Amino acid sequence: MVFNAGKYDVIVIGAGHAGVEAGLAAARMGSKTLMLTLNLDLIAFMPCNPSLGGPAKGIVIREIDALGGAMGQVIDKTHIQMRMLNTGKGPAVQALRAQADKPLYIKEMKRIIENEPNITLKQGMVDELIIEDGVCTGVLTETKAAYYADAVIVTTGTFMRGKVLMGDIEYESGPNNQRVSIKLSENLEDLGFELTRFKTGTPPRVHSDTVDYSKTEIQPGDEKPQAFSFETTEYITDQVPCWLTYTNEFTHQVINDNLTLSSMYSGMKRGTGPRYCPSIEDKIVRFHDKPRHQVFLEPEGRDTEEVYVQGLSTSLPESIQHELVRSVPGLENATIMRPGYAIEYDAVIPTQLWPTLESKKISGLFTAGQINGTSGYEEAAAQGIMAGINAAAKIQQKDAFILDRSQAYIGVLIDDLVTKGTREPYRLLTSRAEYRLLLRHDNADLRLTDIGYELGLIPEERYERFSYKKEQIEAEKDRLRKETIKMTEDVQSILDEAGSTRLKDAAKAYDLLKRPEVTYAHIERMIGANEEIMPEVKEQVEIQVKYEGYIKKANSQVQRMLTLEHKKIPENIDYDAIHSLSSESRERLKSVRPLSVGQASRTAGVTPADVSILAVYIEQGKIARVNEEPISQE
């Protein structure tokens, strides 16, 4: 018998990385929020690699933090190693990466969720969405509990009709042998949603005591304290190393001899796997000319002996996995604690969503995370916070919150999903962002903290510290503009040391800092250090001054792009009435229903010529709306 279990403002289905950020955002914006998850012991569980960050992804974590999210603060408290990547390259591609203590990460995130006043956390399986007149008004669990709400966010990850594959074995399961959601998938199909089938995988875990680390290369963390969150002031210094080894000819032979036994190549696999995180079988087939591939040994925490064998993701039978693992130097006597496997699952085709992540089919229904076809914890968390913000904004009758591609990697991620869709698990890369010089690791707070504060997600005390930082940046830039550096022998000696040309005339410190070889530290030696400013202010001043010309050029490109973004397309436009559009463009535009001419220009299958036609007709105000008589194009 169905019973009324309560009324909330927002319901979040799932408590993975998307779910926790969605729930926290909605709750912190004042919405009474219910979070339902299959297992209360696995809040924000990491079913695959024990790490967060890296190129693009690390910047996303900082963006989430700048908007008031939790991921950055939690990994700062629970990591076992922190490392800045690409330090030899420019600031646009530098990114932080952390090795996580998996059990501790779960514990800390659960603590935050349980202590959030506006969140009720419960364990339960959602079987069905409650829909009334095209509006999602609640959910129904398998125990017949009906929970009602003004908005529902689905963040089911890889659990919808999840199926584990290992050799010729297949069985229904989510990650880590958890239960799967069957009826919710069927319910979404009944409601008219188009689903697709994707695949991901995970490598074996081995016992640390059975690894011969003397045959591997140590990969330590950075000595310099680092953090994802702009709030972090205490740093973990007792870091745990990772280790690097490689596959070899014998490893590749084992795979080639048993390739047909892999679920990937036996015909059992039906889902599409991630291109940028392939299985070891896929690597050997696709890159058969490479004599070896990297294998990283990553501890899963301080208080566990499990080691994640990154680089050996596989769906080979367990018996072959033992042979595979022991072919790798350092792992000759390794004991597998958990075998690797592939997992297939249902995903929603994301072009069925608005840029707010609300469904186009059903009002008040949002989806976020791997259900939208993405891979990675960071991509999931980014969607989660955006869905949570927009669900709360909708029920509070506030404006929708959409980040554009020039504001954040989060904007790139969501625009790609809802505009272009994806035929494989989507991974965010720096190459996907056309304005990556503007979307840096170091300036995420400058880009987004004002927005987070306006949304009510950034506390007053934090915002005051942020405002002071901005003031310091501008004040120090002004000081550099005013300070004149004369041609003293000390100055010339510093320039010689930097490998830079000697001064022929006096120069402003601001202009001298623009030289590629000259650092802020060099300038401090010439004009004296400003003891009042923080290290992050010095970093920001140096980047803003040194890359000023490039940043101005990028901002000019953004302004040109925004002219198209500001040309809004009426929601009820009748594309069939614009006879000059090609048939393919017309169908794609009707499917995606872009909100602006800019979004239309990025829609797959829409030509530049059709974008021009669309822009002209909108400017002229001639576009017919649905239910109006088509206009002659003569």
Side-chain angles (χ1 to χ4, degrees):
M1 177 183 292
V2 174
F3 69 97
N4 187 331
K7 173 70 167 67
Y8 298 83
D9 296 320
V10 175
I11 294 173
V12 179
I13 304 173
H17 301 283
V20 295
E21 296 293 355
L24 286 169
R28 290 169 176 175
M29 287 178 67
S31 296
K32 184 183 175 185
T33 303
L34 171 67
M35 292 182 63
L36 290 166
T37 181
L38 291 174
N39 191 336
L40 286 175
D41 297 324
L42 294 174
I43 303 294
F45 176 60
M46 297 182 184
C48 200
N49 56 307
S51 65
L52 290 175
K57 292 168 174 279
I59 301 173
V60 166
I61 298 174
R62 285 210 134 193
E63 291 176 349
I64 293 168
D65 180 75
L67 289 172
M71 179 175 269
Q73 293 182 21
V74 174
I75 191 61
D76 284 351
K77 289 181 180 179
T78 62
H79 67 270
I80 61 176
Q81 185 192 108
M82 192 75 78
R83 193 173 186 178
M84 182 67 79
L85 306 182
N86 299 328
T87 54
K89 299 181 180 179
V93 293
Q94 291 180 11
L96 203 54
R97 185 176 188 269
Q99 292 297 137
D101 187 318
K102 278 189 177 182
L104 196 56
Y105 189 92
I106 293 171
K107 183 178 179 180
E108 177 63 17
M109 189 65 83
K110 187 182 182 187
R111 183 192 67 79
I112 290 172
I113 295 291
E114 290 177 336
N115 286 288
E116 181 60 45
N118 274 335
I119 289 180
T120 300
L121 181 62
K122 293 190 177 187
Q123 186 166 291
M125 167 80 78
V126 173
D127 280 352
E128 190 177 320
L129 302 173
I130 300 172
I131 309 297
E132 299 175 4
D133 298 323
V135 178
C136 188
T137 59
V139 303
L140 182 65
T141 71
E142 65 178 353
T143 57
K144 305 304 178 185
Y147 295 97
Y148 295 92
D150 297 310
V152 173
I153 307 171
V154 184
T155 68
T156 48
T158 61
F159 286 84
M160 291 208 310
R161 286 196 287 224
K163 182 174 289 186
V164 164
L165 307 172
M166 188 193 307
D168 60 356
I169 297 172
E170 64 174 82
Y171 55 91
E172 289 182 350
S173 176
N176 204 40
N177 286 326
Q178 296 185 76
R179 297 181 65 198
V180 293
S181 174
I182 303 295
K183 291 186 178 179
L184 187 58
S185 264
E186 296 170 349
N187 181 228
L188 288 171
E189 287 181 324
D190 291 341
L191 292 171
F193 284 92
E194 189 177 355
L195 305 183
T196 187
R197 195 80 173 155
F198 281 163
K199 179 199 80 72
T200 188
T202 192
R205 276 69 157 175
V206 300
H207 197 292
S208 181
D209 287 351
T210 64
V211 176
D212 184 353
Y213 291 106
S214 68
K215 296 182 179 179
T216 67
E217 303 170 24
I218 191 168
Q219 303 288 299
D222 292 338
E223 292 183 7
K224 177 185 175 182
Q226 303 275 7
F228 278 104
S229 175
F230 294 96
E231 283 284 89
T232 298
T233 55
E234 296 182 8
Y235 301 89
I236 294 173
T237 55
D238 57 329
Q239 302 194 64
V240 178
C242 295
W243 307 84
L244 173 64
T245 182
Y246 296 88
T247 62
N248 51 51
E249 186 178 344
F250 180 42
T251 311
H252 300 186
Q253 191 61 51
V254 170
I255 293 168
N256 285 319
D257 289 347
N258 296 281
L259 198 59
T260 57
L261 300 179
S262 166
S263 303
M264 283 280 297
Y265 289 92
S266 65
M268 290 177 62
K269 179 187 77 72
R270 288 164 290 279
T272 304
R275 180 184 311 185
Y276 300 103
C277 189
S279 67
I280 187 62
E281 298 99 293
D282 212 17
K283 287 181 189 176
I284 300 308
V285 171
R286 288 166 55 188
F287 308 109
H288 55 83
D289 57 322
K290 292 196 175 225
R292 65 178 191 172
H293 295 277
Q294 290 182 328
V295 175
F296 288 95
L297 306 179
E298 304 178 358
E300 298 228 324
R302 294 180 188 274
D303 299 320
T304 176
E305 295 302 316
E306 283 190 76
V307 175
Y308 181 91
V309 188
Q310 204 258 70
L312 286 189
S313 179
T314 182
S315 60
L316 284 163
E318 185 175 358
S319 59
I320 306 301
Q321 290 190 37
H322 288 280
E323 189 178 354
L324 170 65
V325 167
R326 291 178 177 177
S327 71
V328 177
L331 302 180
E332 293 89 346
N333 298 303
T335 298
I336 293 178
M337 298 179 71
R338 304 187 200 218
Y341 59 85
I343 184 168
E344 290 186 347
Y345 56 94
D346 286 346
V348 170
I349 293 177
T351 51
Q352 298 170 102
L353 306 173
W354 295 115
T356 58
L357 298 179
E358 184 178 14
S359 161
K360 295 174 182 175
K361 296 179 180 293
I362 297 172
S363 179
L365 177 63
F366 298 76
T367 59
Q370 283 188 271
I371 188 177
N372 288 342
T374 57
S375 68
Y377 312 137
E378 303 86 351
E379 289 91 339
Q383 294 171 72
I385 193 170
M386 295 298 287
I389 289 169
N390 279 303
K394 182 180 179 71
I395 63 178
Q396 295 169 15
Q397 298 184 332
K398 296 178 180 177
D399 291 340
F401 176 51
I402 300 171
L403 289 168
D404 66 50
R405 300 178 70 92
S406 65
Q407 287 179 291
Y409 270 97
I410 296 174
V412 174
L413 162 67
I414 293 176
D415 183 66
D416 279 352
L417 289 174
V418 303
T419 304
K420 303 173 184 177
T422 183
R423 296 182 180 180
E424 61 191 30
Y426 177 101
R427 179 177 182 175
L428 198 54
L429 306 167
T430 54
S431 59
R432 297 189 191 273
E434 55 270 52
Y435 307 112
R436 52 188 171 273
L437 180 58
L438 302 179
L439 310 181
R440 304 185 310 275
H441 164 92
D442 62 89
N443 72 348
D445 60 336
L446 299 176
R447 290 185 276 119
L448 299 174
T449 303
D450 281 321
I451 298 173
Y453 178 70
E454 290 171 8
L455 291 167
L457 296 175
I458 298 294
E460 191 70 39
E461 183 182 350
R462 176 175 175 178
Y463 188 68
E464 288 176 3
R465 290 196 302 271
F466 165 72
S467 299
Y468 180 60
K469 175 183 173 179
K470 285 201 300 183
E471 290 172 6
Q472 280 197 320
I473 292 170
E474 292 308 314
E476 182 63 3
K477 285 164 65 177
D478 283 343
R479 182 172 87 101
L480 297 185
R481 290 189 184 98
K482 295 173 183 175
E483 286 282 357
T484 300
I485 297 177
K486 298 179 180 178
M487 297 176 291
T488 66
E489 192 53 41
D490 284 344
V491 166
Q492 303 291 32
S493 177
I494 292 171
L495 290 174
D496 289 342
E497 180 185 318
S500 188
T501 306
R502 287 191 163 209
L503 288 178
K504 294 182 180 179
D505 294 294
K508 295 295 183 183
Y510 191 95
D511 295 325
L512 198 56
L513 184 54
K514 290 182 180 181
R515 291 188 181 186
E517 314 85 9
V518 177
T519 66
Y520 185 89
H522 291 133
I523 298 295
E524 281 189 310
R525 289 167 60 189
M526 296 177 190
I527 66 172
N530 184 343
E531 302 294 344
E532 295 181 359
I533 66 174
M534 303 174 288
E536 55 266 38
V537 170
K538 296 179 182 181
E539 175 193 44
Q540 197 55 230
V541 168
E542 179 166 357
I543 290 172
Q544 289 188 20
V545 173
K546 196 171 291 295
Y547 294 92
E548 183 180 49
Y550 297 102
I551 291 171
K552 282 183 178 179
K553 183 177 180 181
N555 280 322
S556 296
Q557 293 171 340
V558 168
Q559 291 306 311
R560 288 196 294 271
M561 178 270 292
L562 288 177
T563 60
L564 293 179
E565 299 300 326
H566 291 156
K567 290 181 180 177
K568 300 301 180 184
I569 300 175
E571 187 176 328
N572 60 344
I573 187 173
D574 185 0
Y575 289 106
D576 289 327
I578 312 174
H579 305 308
S580 302
L581 292 175
S582 67
S583 298
E584 182 183 2
S585 289
R586 188 178 294 118
E587 291 306 311
R588 291 298 299 166
L589 290 168
K590 286 162 64 177
S591 172
V592 173
R593 293 161 67 191
L595 298 178
S596 68
V597 175
Q599 189 184 357
S601 70
R602 297 186 294 275
T603 301
V606 177
T607 67
D610 285 326
V611 172
S612 297
I613 291 169
L614 181 61
V616 167
Y617 277 91
I618 288 175
E619 286 176 1
Q620 294 178 350
K622 293 182 179 180
I623 296 297
R625 275 54 165 179
V626 175
N627 300 325
E628 294 180 6
E629 289 296 321
I631 342 174
S632 169
Q633 306 301 311
E634 297 299 327

